[in-house]
Amino acid sequence: MEQQTIVSELATDTLRGLNSKPKYLLSKYFYDDEGSRIFQDIMRMPEYYLTDCEFEIFTSQRTQIVEAISEGCNKFELIELGAGDGLKTTILLEHMVEKSIGVQYIPVDISEKTNADLVKKLSNELPALGVKALTGDYFHALKPLNGHSGLRKIFLFLGANIGNFSDEETQLFLSQLSSLCHTGDKVMIGFDLKKSPEVIMNAYSDPHGHTRRFNLNHLVRLNKELGANFDLSNFEQHTSYHPGTGAVKSHLVSLTDQKVDMEELGQSFHFDKWEPVFMELSRKFDLETIAIMAENHGFKVEKQFMDKRNYFVDSLWVKD
Ligand code: AVI
């Protein structure tokens, strides 16, 4: 049933995206099993600094982060949106258990299997920790939680995932997050910061071919799941960075005038020679914009945890 809903969402979104001008596909569909494996390859590239930066922040500042999160409160819920393998968060959880801080960890992820693996891993490594995983879309999954425990809530949204949202999606996400928070609740969000365009381009312009595979895998997914007949050799991947807006944009460009059929949708799509399909936004931020985003949604920036090169920030906000 869940699978069916996801497939029909993929169909609706694909139909909308490929009938738009300019054409686009939604980057949330990158992450099927193969896409998730390719993203692991991206994260392992030495040029993809984001993951290392956030690890550095969590390892070198774990005491300060845990102090700031738990300040004045020795029992709370730590809710992680898109927890995945929870590797970074485990650094904080270990420290909390060591300090006998009463934390209930609530990882939220779209994948049941990812959640089950994480719960199993944590029950082996940190048996004293309370863990209750929720499966589903972030805010859908969180509905039963709203206001139930009366405990302070701390939300984590790590890994620069917020940079993949459009402006409208960012507004919606932060409003929904804000409506789940009561005064004193906190959120910590990972933002990739503006920096030398060369450093950014090296991370995204594909020195090892992984970003190309990552984008083309979206078309493979449409071939498999929607009966499409994309010929991958007819598309080239292109990355650009605009230092003013902070937008890294990824496109697939059609190398030829071509028609692609999609059996499941009962429709064909025409691509002109050199026509771009917008695939992904990876936005870079500055501290001033982050503070404005916080204020616009009823939060105050409490602390900015940055790596030593100032490439990345885990920004801790408190609800007014
Ligand atoms: C998941 N997200 C934060 C990655 C990013 O950096 O925007 C996805 C990615 N796309 C290309 N490389 C990495």
Side-chain angles (χ1 to χ4, degrees):
M1 177 64 196
E2 194 191 339
Q3 188 59 25
Q4 239 172 33
T5 319
I6 291 167
V7 169
S8 72
E9 256 182 56
L10 172 69
T12 317
D13 288 337
T14 304
L15 197 61
R16 188 171 303 132
L18 294 185
N19 279 322
S20 296
K21 250 185 179 311
K23 289 185 175 60
Y24 69 86
L25 291 170
L26 294 182
S27 61
K28 68 175 178 177
Y29 296 115
F30 278 150
Y31 303 92
D32 63 354
D33 288 347
E34 179 59 11
S36 303
R37 266 193 294 276
I38 302 173
F39 184 52
Q40 296 289 328
D41 292 339
I42 290 178
M43 287 195 291
R44 277 193 287 268
M45 301 191 311
E47 295 84 359
Y48 191 75
Y49 57 84
L50 291 81
T51 317
D52 294 343
C53 286
E54 209 174 29
F55 260 106
E56 182 200 315
I57 293 169
F58 274 46
T59 22
S60 67
Q61 300 177 62
R62 77 184 86 187
T63 314
Q64 295 89 323
I65 297 174
V66 169
E67 265 171 27
I69 284 179
S70 59
E71 190 201 18
C73 170
N74 60 5
K75 239 181 158 221
F76 57 87
E77 291 175 334
L78 188 68
I79 303 157
E80 180 167 10
L81 305 175
D85 59 15
L87 267 186
K88 280 170 277 196
T89 313
T90 305
I91 300 169
L92 303 183
L93 293 171
E94 279 167 0
H95 193 69
M96 289 176 191
V97 170
E98 240 172 70
K99 298 267 159 204
S100 304
I101 293 170
V103 57
Q104 166 82 12
Y105 178 50
I106 305 176
V108 184
D109 204 280
I110 191 85
S111 156
E112 188 121 35
K113 159 102 172 62
T114 303
N115 269 342
D117 291 349
L118 179 57
V119 170
K120 191 163 163 215
K121 188 177 120 265
L122 288 173
S123 66
N124 287 332
E125 290 174 9
L126 295 170
L129 179 75
V131 185
K132 180 186 183 319
L134 296 175
T135 302
D137 237 71
Y138 301 149
F139 294 106
H140 214 75
L142 286 174
K143 266 194 189 129
L145 214 73
N146 197 11
H148 264 199
S149 65
L151 295 176
R152 179 196 280 179
K153 291 186 180 61
I154 317 288
F155 290 92
L156 300 179
F157 190 49
L158 307 176
N161 289 316
I162 196 161
N164 297 129
F165 291 162
S166 65
D167 281 347
E168 298 74 43
E169 287 167 331
T170 307
Q171 299 304 331
L172 181 67
F173 174 80
L174 292 178
S175 319
Q176 285 177 306
L177 194 54
S178 180
S179 68
L180 285 175
C181 292
H182 298 100
T183 304
D185 288 347
K186 299 186 182 188
V187 307
M188 189 159 85
I189 303 181
F191 292 91
D192 193 20
L193 295 170
K194 288 183 180 173
K195 58 185 69 65
S196 153
E198 199 186 331
V199 172
I200 294 175
M201 280 305 281
N202 281 342
Y204 289 91
S205 70
D206 216 18
H208 312 278
H210 300 320
T211 315
R212 180 173 177 277
R213 281 196 298 131
F214 191 50
N215 281 266
L216 288 177
N217 182 61
H218 195 136
L219 304 188
V220 174
R221 184 169 182 185
L222 299 183
N223 284 351
K224 276 196 290 217
E225 296 183 32
L226 298 182
N229 61 351
F230 279 104
D231 176 347
L232 306 192
S233 65
N234 281 344
F235 290 89
E236 177 180 308
Q237 193 267 337
H238 180 261
T239 304
S240 63
Y241 174 60
H242 190 296
T245 58
V248 172
K249 288 187 180 173
S250 177
H251 287 89
L252 284 176
V253 179
S254 174
L255 297 177
T256 176
D257 198 70
Q258 55 181 315
K259 177 169 85 71
V260 174
D261 307 313
M262 239 173 260
E263 229 170 65
E264 292 289 316
L265 306 182
Q267 220 192 302
S268 298
F269 299 92
H270 182 264
F271 296 78
D272 289 331
K273 190 170 184 178
W274 307 131
E275 182 176 355
V277 182
F278 175 55
M279 300 297 288
E280 189 187 37
L281 167 69
S282 297
R283 195 170 154 206
K284 311 302 160 199
F285 297 83
D286 53 53
L287 296 178
E288 200 185 328
T289 310
I290 293 171
I292 294 169
M293 286 164 78
E295 264 169 44
N296 286 347
H297 292 90
F299 295 98
K300 259 207 193 87
V301 175
E302 189 174 285
K303 287 249 160 62
Q304 304 283 31
F305 296 101
M306 291 162 74
D307 61 295
K308 57 180 182 309
R309 290 179 294 184
N310 293 345
Y311 278 6
F312 195 97
V313 63
D314 280 301
S315 189
L316 182 67
W317 303 354
V318 58
K319 182 81 190 276
D320 272 338

